[in-house]
Amino acid sequence: MTDSKGKLYLIPTRLGDNPPLEVLPISIKKTIENLDFYIVENEKTARRFIKRISPGKSQPSLKLKVLNKYTTEAERNTYLNDCLEGISVGLLSEAGCPAIADPGADIVRLAHQMDIRVVPLVGPSSILLALMGSGMNGQSFTFNGYLPIDKGERKAKLKTLERLSFEQNQAQIFIETPYRNMKMLEDLVNTLQPNTRVSVACDLTLPTEFIKTKAAKDWKHNKEDLHKRPAIFIIQKD
């Protein structure tokens, strides 16, 4: 790795619309003030975040490349060419940490292939915050992403995760599209063993934050409205 190459900075963002420096360290602000080249998931929200954390930064000076499901492999493979020219680039997550449940992982892999130094910065991860607050096994856990939408397939997946959590004493973490949260909770109650622990964490770091862990059977009496609130689900059978 040569010093002539730029670096790839992995820049976390907020999980909600709170003031940036309430949940982000000052190092994020300093890094953003020093960078003009970014890889982002959404240009509009990225510019809004940069302006919020560094109001004096020139918006016209920003060079943003969009990384989403429409980005072709050929395009993606050029995104770090600026680093080869000695220009450092920021990989900016849409929410939370880049490359964790985030398309930025492809860029990080590319950086290693190109012998570009990767610099991960400290910031909030909803997955880790939910696990920290759950009381479940932080020594052994798996993040499973989204579960199947099909009812039969999802029930089978939940049964598999429950079995794995028991056999390996492992916390099983997953997410759901926010408008299906209540349906997910209903499926958990109706599919899991009554004493399997279920943790729900939503609106993490926000004033409306909700974290609760209790047996599946006890969630039948849930009064918390989780609809359209970003949530993390964790299960573990003891």
Side-chain angles (χ1 to χ4, degrees), residues 4-228:
S4 62
K5 293 180 181 178
K7 301 172 185 176
L8 176 65
Y9 288 89
L10 310 186
I11 305 175
T13 61
R14 303 167 295 171
L15 298 175
D17 196 30
N18 33 5
L21 295 183
E22 281 188 4
V23 291
L24 297 171
I26 193 67
S27 58
I28 300 293
K29 177 179 173 65
K30 291 178 179 177
T31 300
I32 285 177
E33 288 176 346
N34 289 327
L35 296 178
D36 288 326
F37 289 69
Y38 293 89
I39 300 168
V40 305
E41 197 169 345
N42 181 289
E43 181 172 351
K44 184 178 180 180
T45 56
R47 286 185 178 275
R48 186 185 305 131
F49 170 73
I50 291 171
K51 185 174 183 178
R52 185 81 183 273
I53 199 168
S54 181
K57 189 168 185 66
S58 168
Q59 287 285 322
S61 70
L62 297 177
K63 309 294 189 299
L64 273 58
K65 297 177 180 177
V66 176
L67 177 70
N68 57 29
K69 62 182 180 180
Y70 302 109
T71 306
T72 67
E73 183 178 1
E75 289 174 322
R76 189 178 66 223
N77 288 343
T78 68
Y79 277 13
L80 294 179
N81 287 352
D82 295 311
C83 288
L84 300 180
E85 300 297 322
I87 300 170
S88 290
V89 173
L91 177 61
L92 192 63
S93 179
E94 187 72 1
C97 295
I100 306 296
D102 176 90
D106 291 334
I107 296 297
V108 177
R109 182 172 67 244
L110 182 63
H112 287 293
Q113 292 171 353
M114 299 171 70
D115 202 27
I116 292 166
R117 182 180 171 189
V118 175
V119 184
L121 300 179
V122 174
S125 164
S126 59
I127 298 168
L128 292 181
L129 290 172
L131 180 61
M132 288 164 59
S134 71
M136 297 190 188
N137 192 352
Q139 299 285 350
S140 180
F141 54 91
T142 298
F143 177 64
N144 298 278
Y146 290 95
L147 302 193
I149 296 176
D150 178 81
K151 187 175 182 65
E153 293 178 2
R154 181 166 49 193
K155 181 176 180 179
K157 184 66 173 181
L158 286 172
K159 285 291 190 183
T160 297
L161 295 181
E162 184 180 44
R163 175 177 54 79
L164 287 172
S165 72
F166 177 72
E167 292 175 352
Q168 302 181 25
N169 186 29
Q170 188 176 74
Q172 299 291 333
I173 310 171
F174 49 93
I175 53 179
E176 180 55 281
T177 302
Y179 68 83
R180 289 203 294 262
N181 282 341
M182 299 303 289
K183 180 60 178 174
M184 172 59 77
L185 188 57
E186 180 184 333
D187 289 342
L188 291 170
V189 169
N190 293 331
T191 303
L192 301 177
Q193 294 293 316
N195 290 322
T196 294
R197 287 185 292 157
V198 175
S199 184
V200 179
C202 67
D203 291 348
L204 289 162
T205 73
L206 297 175
T208 53
E209 179 179 87
F210 172 83
I211 305 173
K212 183 69 70 175
T213 299
K214 50 188 176 181
K217 63 183 178 182
D218 295 328
W219 279 105
K220 290 181 179 179
H221 310 294
N222 169 62
K223 293 183 173 58
E224 186 75 20
D225 185 4
L226 308 174
H227 187 56
K228 291 188 176 180

